Amino acid sequence: MNIKLSDWHPEDIKAAIRKKGITLADLARDAGMAGNALRLALSLPRAEAERVIAAALDLHPMVIWPSRYHADGRRKQPQPADNYRAARRFGNAESLSHAEAAV
């Protein structure tokens, strides 16, 4: 069986950050980034913003966005075209959510 992990849903990422007592705006400000830079990374590939978010959650960005990374942790270059689709879906019937994968 070929099991593929799905990217975290943007709301799950925001909730995890809020549970740390911070906001995306706080993280962006602390990193010297534009206010919307981290918000954009929730749905579009943005390497630096992904690293900032993942570091705040004590995770590797690959854990949050597996579609953007190879299995060995290297970032995909170039990113798959599906990672830029505006109507991108988060997960599908063949994927496990990050919560299910942790079990």
Side-chain angles (χ1 to χ4, degrees), residues 5 19 21 33 35 37 47 49 53-54 74 92 98 103:
L5 294 177
K19 287 179 181 179
M33 301 174 82
I53 291 169
R74 289 179 301 116
N92 59 43
H98 63 277
V103 176

Side-chain angles (χ1 to χ4, degrees), residues 7 42-43 65 67-68 82-90:
D7 290 354
L42 298 178
S43 56
W65 297 281
S67 72
R68 301 178 190 181
D82 284 348
N83 286 352
Y84 292 98
R85 300 211 193 292
R88 187 159 174 249
R89 283 177 257 162
F90 297 91

Side-chain angles (χ1 to χ4, degrees), residues 17 27 48 51 60 71 86 94 102:
I17 290 169
L27 288 176
E48 184 180 355
R51 286 190 295 270
H60 187 283
E94 299 170 8

Side-chain angles (χ1 to χ4, degrees), residues 8-97:
W8 288 23
H9 190 282
E11 292 299 323
D12 292 332
I13 298 168
K14 290 192 290 188
I17 290 169
R18 283 192 304 268
K19 287 179 181 179
K20 295 276 189 176
I22 53 179
T23 65
L24 285 172
D26 294 334
L27 288 176
R29 193 173 25 260
D30 292 346
M33 301 174 82
N36 67 344
L38 299 183
R39 184 178 47 78
L40 288 172
L42 298 178
S43 56
L44 295 171
R46 299 286 186 266
E48 184 180 355
E50 292 167 21
R51 286 190 295 270
V52 169
I53 291 169
L57 298 175
D58 299 317
L59 298 170
H60 187 283
M62 181 179 69
V63 173
I64 303 169
W65 297 281
S67 72
R68 301 178 190 181
Y69 293 83
H70 293 286
D72 64 4
R74 289 179 301 116
R75 189 166 166 75
K76 292 180 179 176
Q77 295 292 338
Q79 287 288 301
D82 284 348
N83 286 352
Y84 292 98
R85 300 211 193 292
R88 187 159 174 249
R89 283 177 257 162
F90 297 91
N92 59 43
E94 299 170 8
S95 299
L96 291 177
S97 72

